[in-house]
Amino acid sequence: MLASTWLAAAICSGALAGAPAVTPSSLPRIGTVDQRFQSYNIEMVEVTGGWFWKPYRSRPEPSPAPPPQSWRGPSPGREDANLFQYRPPIDLGNARLRKLASALAPAFLRVSGTWANSTYFADADDAPAGAPAGFNSLLTRPQWRGVINFSHAVDAEIVTSFAISAGSRDAAGHWTTNQARRLLDYTGAIGGRIVAAEFMNEPDLAEIGGAPEDYDAAKYGRDFRIFSAFVKRAAPDLLIAGPGTASSATAAADLLAASTPGLDVVSYHHYGAVSKRCGGSGRPEAALSEEWLSRTDRSADFYKTLRDRFEPGKPIWLTETAQAACGGDSWAASFLDTFRYLDQLGRMAKAGVQVVMHNTLAASDYGLLDESTLQPRPNYWGALLWRQLMGTTVLEAGVPLQSGLHVYAHCLRGTPGGVALLVINTDRQAPHVLMLPAASLRYTLDAVDLLDEHVMLNGSALALGAGDELPPIEGAPTSPNTLTFEQATITFLAVPEAANDACR
């Protein structure tokens, strides 16, 4: 016992002696992010209803509605029964969903995804019974009106993409503007607005996304030029984003080259892995490793290099990201993934990425909300704290990323001169320390077990109250001192009296 006590004291003493320090008053400004920096996706297939990634812990009741007889989309066979689950259209009028989404405002709402590439917009009050030939699913006017009403209600501006499957093409196989025009016209007619659009979803995965056979960068470029010219005539205020690719390979470079000139925003997707549904081999034991957390940097660096080469000066948006593609792994719904979620936001803000859109708001294991109950998951609570504390001005914290301790700094939201710090201890075994010579308010997230789907703030469980009211998010007053951050915890520090000139 004496030996272990001496060893702990020695480790603590050594840590304090070499503790990194942050002086909030003098942290320099290194950039800014969009006011809608933290955003989210609702997949098109959620809006229309259809087959999407089945949650690992799918509840047996209430059983999902069967697909309509007119459904032309993927109809999983026996071998895919554990991959997909049919969902009826999402209820975007749900009061809980709207209340929780509103708390993350302002944001962008991206309605896209693989299924959007082959979705037919039925621009008539009397929609057909099913999607016509050349399309796999049907988007009705009431469904799209629901998206627009949701957008208004929760202050989430719409980003989308358009159908590019066989039904949207002429006899020569060239893309036509008919479907895009109808969606844009109807949106405007009912008081909605699409602020940005990618031509299609993930053109580097064209073979699974509804594109014609042998669809390459040259054919994409041909279609993109038609799309770009159409947007400039029909919707000149619409931001064109692209290419929206998901890989860091030659194909992505070729597709970006084929999109230029003509982009207002360079967009890309990042998943550090695919889930086990799709043959991935990820392990929760690696979820806090530097190698895993830094994968998002490598994707960002790749696309920044391409941006500088083909579209210098244009903003970069990460329009789709989550723990793993194909619905996320089982731990995507746990506190363990909140480290990646918040660390990625910190890294991307420092890297100059203007917008990060999480996939999804409320579908499958990677949803911020449980899709059956719409109860917040740990990532939602992390997102809420980011929204309340981290402003749009990015500061240099002055603490290099190191194993176990990641420190990010922004101006404190809504407080001139104030500073907010995000301190992530990714060490599963040991606490880490940081010298902070200023009084602060401390907000520490932790859980009894990293794989828990419930999280605590300063030792108290976070949960919705009566009437789905969000709990008060209150910081613990903390004196200027060397602060200790326990193992596997996430802490925000608000320093309202920092008097940082970069934040005035």
Side-chain angles (χ1 to χ4, degrees):
M1 178 67 177
L2 287 174
S4 62
T5 302
W6 176 87
L7 180 59
I11 292 173
C12 183
S13 175
L16 290 173
V22 173
T23 305
S25 62
S26 59
L27 300 183
R29 175 186 180 276
I30 58 173
T32 59
V33 294
D34 194 279
Q35 66 168 338
R36 300 175 189 271
F37 171 71
Q38 180 182 237
S39 293
Y40 50 83
N41 283 257
I42 293 177
E43 294 258 354
M44 182 66 81
V45 70
E46 295 179 72
V47 177
T48 63
W51 296 95
F52 194 61
W53 307 111
K54 181 179 181 180
Y56 287 102
R57 289 183 288 280
S58 209
R59 291 169 177 78
E61 70 259 352
S63 47
Q69 292 298 314
S70 60
W71 173 257
R72 294 176 180 266
S75 185
R78 185 176 303 170
E79 70 280 4
D80 293 327
N82 291 323
L83 298 183
F84 298 101
Q85 176 177 292
Y86 184 83
R87 293 155 171 82
I90 186 172
D91 177 10
L92 293 175
N94 181 279
R96 177 179 292 172
L97 181 66
R98 288 190 171 196
K99 179 172 290 188
L100 295 177
S102 294
L104 302 181
F108 288 114
L109 160 62
R110 179 174 176 266
V111 182
S112 181
T114 301
W115 287 259
N117 287 346
S118 54
T119 294
Y120 175 79
F121 175 56
D123 188 21
D125 290 331
D126 295 325
F135 297 93
N136 284 337
S137 55
L138 181 73
L139 173 66
T140 67
R141 278 184 169 184
Q143 288 167 348
W144 189 246
R145 189 184 306 118
V147 170
I148 292 168
N149 291 342
F150 180 83
S151 166
H152 290 324
V154 305
D155 190 9
E157 294 188 333
I158 298 171
V159 178
T160 193
S161 63
F162 299 105
I164 52 82
S165 58
S168 67
R169 298 180 177 276
D170 62 20
H174 298 181
W175 184 79
T176 64
T177 64
N178 181 56
Q179 275 287 292
R181 183 186 301 278
R182 288 175 179 235
L183 189 64
L184 286 170
D185 287 350
Y186 180 70
T187 300
I190 62 172
R193 179 172 176 244
I194 298 172
V195 298
E198 294 161 319
F199 169 53
M200 64 177 289
N201 183 74
E202 296 178 351
D204 53 334
L205 300 175
E207 68 279 5
I208 65 171
E213 190 175 352
D214 300 324
Y215 196 67
D216 58 13
K219 294 174 182 176
Y220 171 85
R222 176 202 65 205
D223 290 342
F224 181 85
R225 287 188 291 274
I226 298 170
F227 169 70
S228 178
F230 158 71
V231 169
K232 286 178 170 56
R233 293 192 309 270
D237 294 332
L238 176 70
L239 295 175
I240 299 177
T245 41
S247 64
S248 300
T250 302
D254 292 342
L255 289 160
L256 181 52
S259 306
T260 56
L263 292 176
D264 300 301
V265 172
V266 173
S267 66
Y268 74 101
H269 299 174
H270 168 79
Y271 292 95
V274 297
S275 72
K276 290 187 177 180
R277 294 180 188 85
C278 294
S281 58
R283 298 176 299 110
E285 292 79 11
L288 301 187
S289 70
E290 296 302 311
E291 190 279 330
W292 167 252
L293 295 172
S294 66
R295 290 184 185 185
T296 192
D297 284 339
R298 295 197 288 276
S299 289
D301 289 345
F302 175 80
Y303 282 96
K304 284 170 66 179
T305 299
L306 291 185
R307 184 275 311 271
D308 294 344
R309 178 181 170 190
F310 294 111
E311 289 281 16
K314 297 294 175 66
I316 299 178
W317 291 7
L318 174 50
T319 52
E320 193 176 308
T321 189
Q323 180 268 333
C326 304
D329 282 307
S330 59
W331 60 91
S334 75
F335 180 55
L336 182 59
D337 188 52
T338 307
F339 292 80
R340 178 211 56 81
Y341 180 91
L342 290 172
D343 190 67
Q344 183 179 41
L345 292 180
R347 287 175 186 262
M348 294 300 95
K350 285 191 69 174
V353 173
Q354 288 296 297
V355 177
V356 177
M357 301 183 185
H358 177 77
N359 201 34
T360 61
L361 177 62
S364 202
D365 293 282
Y366 50 25
L368 297 177
L369 310 175
D370 180 284
E371 69 174 77
S372 296
T373 65
L374 298 181
Q375 287 288 344
R377 287 171 165 164
N379 280 356
Y380 177 85
W381 297 114
L384 183 65
L385 279 164
W386 179 284
R387 169 63 187 87
Q388 293 193 3
L389 299 173
M390 304 292 272
T392 58
T393 298
V394 187
L395 306 174
E396 176 52 67
V399 180
L401 286 181
Q402 53 191 278
S403 180
L405 186 67
H406 297 183
V407 183
Y408 304 100
H410 286 224
C411 291
L412 181 62
R413 188 179 293 271
T415 306
V419 168
L421 301 176
L422 169 59
V423 183
I424 303 175
N425 183 354
T426 59
D427 193 327
R428 296 172 184 255
Q429 305 300 325
H432 286 258
V433 296
L434 182 73
M435 295 180 64
L436 185 67
S440 62
L441 295 171
R442 180 170 182 155
Y443 307 78
T444 294
L445 295 173
D446 68 350
V448 175
D449 187 284
L450 285 172
L451 293 175
D452 281 354
E453 295 187 17
H454 302 281
V455 67
M456 295 180 289
L457 174 64
N458 294 337
S460 297
L462 286 171
L464 297 179
D468 290 336
E469 290 302 313
L470 287 163
I473 304 297
E474 298 176 344
T478 305
S479 301
N481 208 333
T482 298
L483 306 182
T484 300
F485 303 90
E486 296 300 327
Q487 57 266 35
T489 57
I490 300 169
T491 298
F492 290 86
L493 296 166
V495 189
E497 303 301 326
N500 186 306
D501 289 338
C503 298
R504 295 191 186 280

